[in-house]
Amino acid sequence: MRSSQSQPSSMPSVKTLLAVLSGIPATVPPVWLMRQAGRYLPEYRALRKRADSFLDFCYTPELAVEATLQPIRRFHLDAAIVFSDILVIPDALGQRVRFEDGVGPRLDPISTMEEVARLRETGVAERLEPVYDTVSGAREGLPDGVALIGFAGAPWTIATYMVEGGTSRGHERIRKLAYDAPDMMEKLIGILTRAVADHLIAQVRAGAEAVQIFDSWAGALPATLRGHYSLRPITEIASRVRAACPDVPTIAFPRGVGTGYADYAAVPTISGVSIDQGVDASWAATALQGSAAVQGNLDPLVLAAGGRAMEDSIDGILSALGGGPFVFNLGHGIVPETPPEHVAALIARVKGTG
Ligand code: CP3
C-alpha cells in the first residue's frame, strides 16, 4: 500500500522515499531496486529491439520513458529511476562510447593531458537534452506516491571507463595515472565534477525528485586516495545540487568502501548512502543511520536465487536497519538472470503483504 494513495486528493502526496531521505523513518520502508529496468524483464528485451544501439535507446525519450515505467507497472515500487546510463557523460563530452553485446561498454581510451583537453565541455547539457525529456516524460507517467530518481556516475567511476576503455577488473591504468599523472587526473576529475553536477541539476529541473551518484568503482581506490578522488568530488557535487535545489536529496553509492561509508554519511549535503552487500547491516545502523538515511543492501544473487535464502536475508536487513531511516534496495544492480517473480516476492515481503 502506498501511503499517498489512501489520502484524499486535496492533501499533498507524501512520497515515502522522500520522507525517509529527509530523515524520518517509515513504518514500512520504501523499496526500489538498482537496475529495476533492464534485461531481466521480457518487456524490456522486446522494447530494446526498437533501437539499434543502446545509446540510441537511451537518447530516444519515447523508449526510455517506457523502460523507466515498465517496472512500476509490474511491481509496487516506491521509486522509479530514470532510464539512461552513466556513460552518457563521456559521450556528451565527445569521447566515442559504444555498447557491445556480451562485452559491455567500449570507449576509445584517453590517458594524456592533450586528450583530456580535447573533451568538449561546452554544450554538454544541450547534447543531453533527450535525457531531460525522458525525465519529464517519466514524471508525467508516474502514479501518485512514486518518486522519480535522477542519477549520474561519480567522477571517479566515469573516469575509470574513460581511461580503461571499458569495464576493468583491476583498474591498473587509472590507478597508476593517479600517481604518475596527477595533473591530468585533476583536470579530468574537474571536468567530470562540473558535468555531473550540471547533469543532476538539469534532471531535477526536468522533474527528478532525488538524485543518486553511482561510484561503482570507489572500492578500487586505495584508502589513501579515496578522499581525493571519490569523497571530495561527490561532496562538491552534492553541495552544488543542494545550493541549486535545496529540497532535493542526494544519495551517494560509493560501492565497496567498507567502513569508509561513514565519511560519506557524515557529509551534511548527502541525505542517503547506498550500501553494498559487503557491509554489515548492524554496523551500518550504528555507524551511519545517525547521520544519513541508509539504502541497501540485499545481495543481488540472493534475489536471483529466491526462496528461503532470500526471505531470511530480507528479514535480517529489515531487523537491523528498519528502525531508522531506511530504503530497501540491493547492494548492486539486478542481474539479468533474475526471475521477475522473485522481485514481486521481495517487495511483498518488505511490505509485509507476502
Ligand atoms: O533501472 C535502472 O537502474 C536505470 C538504468 C541504468 C542503467 N545503467 C541501464 C543499463 C542505470 C542506473 C545504470 C547505471 C550504470 N551504468 C552504472 C552504475 C551502476 C552499476 O551497475 O555499477 C554503470 C557502471 C554503468 C555502465 C554500464 N552500462 C555497463 C558496465 C553496462 C554493461 C553491463 C550490463 O549490465 O549490461 C551498461 C549497459 C546498461 N545500462 C544496460 C542497462 C539496462 C544493459 C544494456 C542492454 O540493454 O543490453
Side-chain angles (χ1 to χ4, degrees), residues 35-37 39 44 54 81 84-85 99 151 161 216 332:
R35 291 287 182 97
Q36 65 190 24
R39 276 170 302 184
Y44 171 79
F54 178 65
I81 181 159
S84 176
D85 199 82
F99 287 82
F151 76 92
Y161 288 94
S216 305
H332 198 196

Side-chain angles (χ1 to χ4, degrees), residues 131-137 139 148 200-208:
V131 178
Y132 313 132
D133 292 342
T134 300
V135 174
S136 52
R139 180 74 191 270
L148 184 61
L200 291 175
I201 292 166
Q203 289 178 66
V204 171
R205 299 218 159 113

Side-chain angles (χ1 to χ4, degrees), residues 2-180:
R2 295 183 188 122
S3 57
S4 62
Q5 289 179 338
S6 57
Q7 290 170 357
S9 56
S10 58
M11 285 179 67
S13 93
V14 178
K15 302 193 178 183
T16 327
L17 177 86
L18 303 178
V20 166
L21 291 173
S22 77
I24 304 165
T27 326
V28 175
V31 52
W32 71 277
L33 303 172
M34 288 189 261
R35 291 287 182 97
Q36 65 190 24
R39 276 170 302 184
Y40 77 106
L41 289 178
E43 60 269 34
Y44 171 79
R45 295 196 298 270
L47 187 69
R48 174 68 188 80
K49 295 196 180 107
R50 290 177 49 192
D52 286 338
S53 78
F54 178 65
L55 275 182
D56 286 344
F57 186 95
C58 290
Y59 292 144
T60 308
E62 181 209 349
L63 300 177
V65 167
E66 179 56 23
T68 306
L69 298 177
Q70 281 179 339
I72 305 303
R73 296 208 179 96
R74 217 188 231 264
F75 308 116
H76 282 271
L77 292 156
D78 294 282
I81 181 159
V82 173
F83 194 91
S84 176
D85 199 82
I86 66 164
L87 299 179
V88 298
I89 294 278
D91 182 60
L93 286 167
Q95 187 176 10
R96 203 161 100 81
V97 179
R98 60 251 181 233
F99 287 82
E100 286 169 17
D101 281 346
V103 182
R106 280 263 180 252
L107 298 84
D108 299 337
I110 59 168
S111 58
T112 65
M113 190 56 113
E114 293 67 41
E115 286 164 330
V116 172
R118 278 204 290 273
L119 296 170
R120 299 172 299 177
E121 266 200 84
T122 48
V124 166
E126 287 71 23
R127 287 189 283 282
L128 293 177
E129 205 57 56
V131 178
Y132 313 132
D133 292 342
T134 300
V135 174
S136 52
R139 180 74 191 270
E140 267 170 42
L142 278 182
D144 255 10
V146 179
L148 184 61
I149 302 171
F151 76 92
W156 166 257
T157 287
I158 299 175
T160 67
Y161 288 94
M162 296 175 80
V163 167
E164 304 283 341
T167 306
S168 160
R169 296 231 162 270
H171 300 99
E172 283 87 359
R173 284 169 71 116
I174 193 165
R175 284 163 57 209
K176 189 152 178 295
L177 278 180
Y179 296 111
D180 280 351

